[in-house]
């Protein structure tokens, strides 16, 4: 994802969905707009994006300190079995993300950014809410971790692409990305603290509420940023999980890919 240019009008209603039978019988897009964004409106869109990223980070990290203790209880206090289950959860989430993230990215290049920011938030709200209701159900806990974990970058990819739509590819995008990362960092600091204070099922319930708040914030505050003329035809071949190997055609991008891979392995 990363197509740029604008398509919203700041006074145009947002969150209006239209369904059409095209592009293989499926089309999801937000309501049409009448004019590109003004500079002031671009600032409003950027502000909405960085705030959404902060709320999202708080919701994601809130359950980090509380999931393992719940699994430990379900594993009758066995730390080795708990570590094994937690490892399987993380690996499952990464494996699912490998296949799903490219699809979400390509679909957001075809049908717009906004729908593919809202879908992960809806899934996370439902799954975390379900765990909050039934925190002692291992299959549910496992599915929640795998799916919600894979949805992290499925949400962030179109969100960052929307930021590029607004700010282009120059210094303004660099500054906007830095601000978004700052808000994400604040959320990542606050989330675990709140989660640890709440503990157990309450942390999942509040996390679900924050995912729902992110959904509402995006649906109400963020217009679609991808113009019709910048949308791409969906190419299923481009969704291959092996597509990243093309990065190794150039030394710089190959080095960056290895660096990020090693960092992820360490994490």
């Amino acid at each position: 994802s990363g197509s740029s240019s604008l398509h919203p009008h700041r006074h145009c209603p947002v969150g209006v969905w239209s369904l059409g039978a095209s592009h293989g019988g499926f089309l999801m897009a937000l309501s049409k707009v009448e004019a590109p964004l003004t500079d002031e409106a671009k600032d409003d869109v950027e502000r909405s994006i960085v705030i959404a990223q902060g709320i999202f980070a708080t919701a994601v990290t809130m359950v980090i300190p509380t999931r393992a203790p719940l699994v430990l209880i379900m594993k009758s206090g066995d730390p080795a079995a708990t570590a094994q289950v937690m490892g399987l959860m993380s690996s499952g989430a990464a494996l699912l993300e490998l296949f799903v993230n490219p699809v979400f990215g390509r679909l957001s290049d075809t049908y717009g950014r906004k729908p593919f920011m809202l879908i992960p938030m809806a899934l996370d709200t439902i799954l975390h809410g379900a765990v909050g209701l039934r925190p002692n159900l291992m299959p549910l806990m496992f599915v929640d971790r795998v799916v919600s974990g894979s949805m992290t970058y499925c949400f962030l990819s179109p969100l960052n692409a929307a930021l590029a739509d607004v700010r282009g590819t120059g210094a303004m995008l660099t500054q906007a990305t830095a601000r978004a990362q700052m808000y994400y960092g604040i959320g990542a600091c606050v989330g675990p603290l709140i989660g640890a204070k709440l503990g157990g099922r309450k942390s999942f319930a509040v996390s679900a509420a924050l995912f729902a708040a992110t959904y509402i914030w995006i649906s109400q505050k963020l217009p679609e940023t991808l113009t019709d003329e910048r949308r791409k035809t969906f190419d299923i071949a481009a969704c291959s999980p092996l597509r990243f190997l093309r990065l190794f055609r150039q030394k710089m991008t190959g080095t960056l890919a290895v660096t990020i891979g090693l960092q992820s392995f360490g994490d």
Side-chain angles (χ1 to χ4, degrees):
S1 301
S3 302
S4 60
S5 190
L6 289 308
H7 197 225
H9 185 277
R10 70 176 304 186
H11 300 301
C12 183
V14 298
V16 181
W17 294 83
S18 63
L19 299 177
S22 60
H23 298 283
F26 168 69
L27 174 63
M28 290 198 307
L30 293 172
S31 57
K32 296 294 182 179
V33 294
E34 300 175 359
L37 289 175
T38 64
D39 289 341
E40 182 182 355
K42 291 179 182 180
D43 292 340
D44 290 342
V45 170
E46 180 190 324
R47 190 177 302 110
S48 296
I49 289 174
V50 300
I51 290 174
Q53 191 145 318
I55 302 172
F56 171 75
T58 305
V60 168
T61 59
M62 184 173 294
V63 300
I64 289 177
T66 60
R67 190 185 298 273
L70 289 173
V71 174
L72 183 65
I73 292 172
M74 286 185 276
K75 287 297 179 180
S76 303
D78 186 340
T82 300
Q84 184 178 28
V85 170
M86 294 295 293
L88 288 172
M89 287 179 179
S90 296
S91 296
L95 182 62
L96 183 58
E97 180 190 324
L98 182 65
F99 290 92
V100 175
N101 193 25
V103 176
F104 268 62
R106 281 288 170 174
L107 286 172
S108 77
D109 284 339
T110 302
Y111 300 111
R113 315 299 187 197
K114 192 169 180 177
F116 300 96
M117 297 181 215
L118 296 176
I119 291 171
M121 293 303 92
L123 287 173
D124 287 350
T125 299
I126 293 169
L127 288 170
H128 275 44
V131 173
L133 292 173
R134 296 292 303 276
N136 59 344
L137 194 61
M138 180 60 79
L140 177 59
M141 178 71 76
F142 196 95
V143 170
D144 168 69
R145 174 64 181 93
V146 171
V147 175
S148 65
S150 69
M151 288 294 107
T152 297
Y153 287 101
C154 289
F155 170 76
L156 291 176
S157 291
L159 191 77
N160 290 330
L163 201 59
D165 292 340
V166 175
R167 294 308 189 191
T169 58
M172 292 188 70
L173 176 61
T174 303
Q175 295 168 10
T177 301
R179 281 189 286 270
Q181 291 299 319
M182 180 186 71
Y183 274 72
Y184 188 94
I186 293 172
C189 290
V190 173
L193 178 63
I194 298 174
K197 292 291 184 182
L198 293 171
R201 65 193 307 166
K202 291 181 180 179
S203 66
F204 278 87
V206 175
S207 177
L210 287 176
F211 281 129
T214 308
Y215 183 101
I216 295 170
W217 178 265
I218 291 172
S219 65
Q220 296 299 316
K221 295 291 186 179
L222 189 64
E224 178 56 57
T225 60
L226 186 64
T227 57
D228 289 340
E229 60 269 18
R230 298 304 299 270
R231 299 188 183 198
K232 302 175 182 178
T233 301
F234 182 73
D235 180 11
I236 188 64
C239 299
S240 169
L242 299 179
R243 190 85 167 184
F244 80 95
L245 292 174
R246 292 189 173 193
L247 294 171
F248 293 95
R249 292 178 178 178
Q250 297 182 18
K251 183 178 179 180
M252 179 179 293
T253 54
T255 302
L256 288 172
V258 171
T259 301
I260 294 171
L262 290 173
Q263 180 189 12
S264 298
F265 183 81
D267 291 341

